Amino acid sequence: MAGSTKHPLFGFLPRNVTAKQVQGVVEGNENPFTRLPHSPQYRKILEARKKLPVFAQMDEFYKMFTKHQIIVMVGETGSGKTTQIPQFVVYSDMPQTKNKIVACTQPRRVAAMSVAKRVADEMDVQLGRQVGYSIRFEDMTEPGTTFLKYMTDGMLLREAMNDPDLQRYSTIILDEAHERTLATDILMGLLKALVKRRKDLKIIIMSATLDALKFQKYFTIDDPAPLFKVPGRTHPVEIFYTQEPEPDYVEAAIRTVLMIHRAEEPGDILLFLTGEEEIEDACRKIKIEADDLIAQDPDTVGPLSCIPLYSSLPPQQQQRIFDPAPSPRVPGGPPGRKVVISTNIAETSLTIDGIVYVVDPGFSKQKIYNPRIRVESLLVSPISKASAQQRAGRAGRTRPGKCFRLYTEKDFMKELEEQTHPEILRSNLANTVLELVKAGIKDLVRFDYVDAPAPETLMRALELLNYLAALDDDGNLTSMGSMMSEFPLDPQMSKMLIVSPEFHCSQEILAIVAMLSVPNVWLRPNNQRKEADAAKQLLTVPDGDHLTLLNVFNEYQNNLHDRNWSWNNYLSARSLSQADNVRSQLLRIMERLEIGVVTKSYEDQTRHYMNIRKALVCGFFMQVAHKEGEKGSYITIKDNQAVSLHPSCGLDTQPEWVLFNEFVLTTRAYIRTVTDIRAEWLLELTANYYDLGSFPDGEAKLALQRVLKKQIGKNAKAAGPDRDKPLKKKPKTS
DNA sequence: GAGCACTGC
């Protein structure tokens, strides 16, 4: 009688449901969230879901989830945890009945989007309504309707900054926690503190196997967090090691690829190398050698296609990894094979079906941070055991595979670290510290990190934020700091934006900051370097690379009608449109903060450019170098690092003082993206930092003292300060 | 006279 009108979830007690109840609803005819009948598509997907390993453990899951506030979950690839667990949680939390949300974080945007789409299909609802996702630049949710949300970890961290109690959420699931991204690490710290304040909030940490114990221990409230284990569904991968260490891993890798091609069963190969240049080089060599092999032995050696893969490759070329292996040259001839040569991008971000052989030389480029000289750099380093395991796993996704490690078993056991160092130990934390302070964390040194960063890294971050006036001398957030934290930028750049109205150049600083926030816009194809350099020369502003970036952005905007403009000027259309996107987001934030977006267009260009350079100084006064000696050698102020102007630098002279965006350590120490500045501005705009009383001795200090003396003399002679008068333009030498 | 591992806000 009542059966037809009763709500499908009738009798469900929040946070106390059984697998039997849930299975009844899942198998039922009526969708409990839309009250519509389930579609045939739903039934089809349900049959596939029921085969996932995690589905068989629903009962076990609910027993644990009902009882505990925090769960650590481990599941191998193919367990279905990312799609199923959040749905299980929804039936228990019933967030739709109390205006709450179940959130599941991902380290990458594509994952958040694609998983949300899949889960919306599984639940027979429209993406963006009951189930949605939230990533930078795209909020695919409907307030009041969305109760299951996939999002990037960085997005949730931003929310935590403004609402430290994360009141909207009933359960928060941190997925891929083993990747230890900076955002996930900070979230773990915040959530550990939060569960004490919010007893109604539940947390699930999802990870691959090796780290589980560490997370369980970390999340000890009275007892360690319980562990929920889900088996994976992959194929076995046989591991081979070399007998002796390989002196040249690229050469060994090429040899191994050719050996596989000659001697192993059909199946595609994935080779891991460290960077673009290495990959393109190996690609060329493999092609040449494979052609030789085929010429020698056309009856047994099939064709080999070689596909490079790295992030700066245009998407269209990245798609080539999904091309099928080449067909035999003649019908019935030896089969073709595909080899993908990739950076770490194929370790986590991209999966390629059909890979049967993995060649792992054991290296990758890793970011390291040196707090002493405040520099992040990339270094080719040995990978960790966890990483090696992940790479090997790429061979077993479709059928049993083989992994050839180009190092000895002994080195694997003894030399490789268990885990890759988490990002928090390898990064400049200026931004993170500001976010934490904004989230109300008072004592950053004693914050409960999963892995605590070096005290010096924290000190460097606090010092920078103090000089930028984001924190006062007691480490409290200032109103300036509060504004700065609203921008998804390094603090130096948000500072520039906030002060830009004083220099009448908000639009210009917006464009420059946007350009500095996207990947390099300059293209330089191997066979057209001269043409590319010439094109760049035409866009160059000799006063500084920052102004060149501004010029490029403006020209891009002026030429939007011309589809080929970017390409014709050897510029990356992808980066430029990204910059445009970033610029709009930053502009919206400025408007929200009621920072007047001021631009004085009637000024003459020299003076206008000077104002822009002054605004740059307000953010980047700590990244300044002084020319010492004749041959273009510079010394960074205070740290006394000898550096050279990067060859890509467009300055037509070698000014005495320069401001730089980036310090790069390659064959030499270079400063990149450099602008000509004046000592007067340093003394005038950032007197706090350029306090000569505490300045280290050296040529830079002497030069600053001379400027100061001259200023005092001038001010004594003249009746008042005249520093607003444009300084005389230097004669240009070409 | 050289380089951009990979994410993310």
Side-chain angles (χ1 to χ4, degrees), chain A residues 253-264 269 284-305 329 334-335 337 339:
Chain A
I254 294 171
R255 194 165 14 93
T256 308
V257 165
L258 293 162
M259 180 277 289
I260 293 169
H261 185 46
R262 214 170 28 201
E264 295 282 347
I269 307 172
R284 271 191 300 273
K285 287 180 178 155
I286 290 175
K287 270 180 202 149
I288 294 169
E289 299 224 19
D291 287 344
D292 276 359
L293 274 184
I294 293 164
Q296 283 166 25
D297 205 349
D299 296 335
T300 57
V301 183
L304 185 68
S305 70
R329 276 183 315 280
R337 199 191 295 271
V339 47

Side-chain angles (χ1 to χ4, degrees), chain A residues 500-531:
Chain A
S500 64
E502 294 172 37
F503 299 92
H504 318 293
C505 58
S506 310
Q507 293 292 358
E508 292 74 10
I509 296 294
L510 268 169
I512 292 170
V513 165
M515 290 289 277
L516 291 173
S517 307
V518 300
N520 184 18
V521 297
W522 308 102
L523 299 178
R524 209 165 175 245
N526 256 334
N527 47 357
Q528 294 172 58
R529 291 195 176 174
K530 261 192 185 159
E531 293 87 338

Side-chain angles (χ1 to χ4, degrees), chain A residues 409-578:
Chain A
E409 188 165 14
K410 196 176 135 216
D411 280 350
F412 174 80
M413 298 305 292
K414 297 233 169 98
E415 302 298 325
L416 298 194
E417 304 247 19
E418 290 297 325
Q419 304 289 336
T420 311
H421 277 280
E423 200 183 357
I424 195 170
L425 303 182
R426 300 184 283 119
S427 306
N428 172 353
L429 296 181
N431 218 348
T432 306
V433 165
L434 186 59
E435 284 166 351
L436 279 172
V437 175
K438 173 83 180 189
I441 306 302
K442 297 263 148 57
D443 189 347
L444 286 146
V445 179
R446 260 173 286 173
F447 181 70
D448 191 357
Y449 301 93
V450 183
D451 281 294
E456 198 177 358
T457 303
L458 291 171
M459 294 316 294
R460 284 299 193 182
L462 290 165
E463 179 196 42
L464 172 69
L465 291 167
N466 180 239
Y467 278 124
L468 287 168
L471 301 179
D472 65 21
D473 291 347
D474 300 321
N476 298 311
L477 192 68
T478 63
S479 58
M480 169 61 76
S482 179
M483 271 198 273
M484 284 167 62
S485 71
E486 294 292 321
F487 292 93
L489 294 169
D490 278 343
Q492 295 96 320
M493 298 217 249
S494 23
K495 178 77 186 244
M496 278 178 4
L497 278 175
I498 294 167
V499 302
S500 64
E502 294 172 37
F503 299 92
H504 318 293
C505 58
S506 310
Q507 293 292 358
E508 292 74 10
I509 296 294
L510 268 169
I512 292 170
V513 165
M515 290 289 277
L516 291 173
S517 307
V518 300
N520 184 18
V521 297
W522 308 102
L523 299 178
R524 209 165 175 245
N526 256 334
N527 47 357
Q528 294 172 58
R529 291 195 176 174
K530 261 192 185 159
E531 293 87 338
D533 290 348
K536 183 174 177 184
Q537 191 57 43
L538 290 176
L539 290 161
T540 297
V541 178
D543 307 51
D545 299 330
H546 294 86
L547 296 169
T548 300
L549 289 176
L550 170 64
N551 190 34
V552 169
F553 186 80
N554 287 338
E555 288 298 310
Y556 165 73
Q557 296 278 42
N558 292 339
N559 289 283
L560 281 175
H561 56 274
D562 178 1
R563 277 164 151 249
N564 294 322
W565 185 83
S566 305
W567 181 248
N568 291 340
N569 287 280
Y570 294 88
L571 291 163
S572 160
R574 189 164 43 139
S575 289
L576 285 166
S577 86
Q578 242 177 298

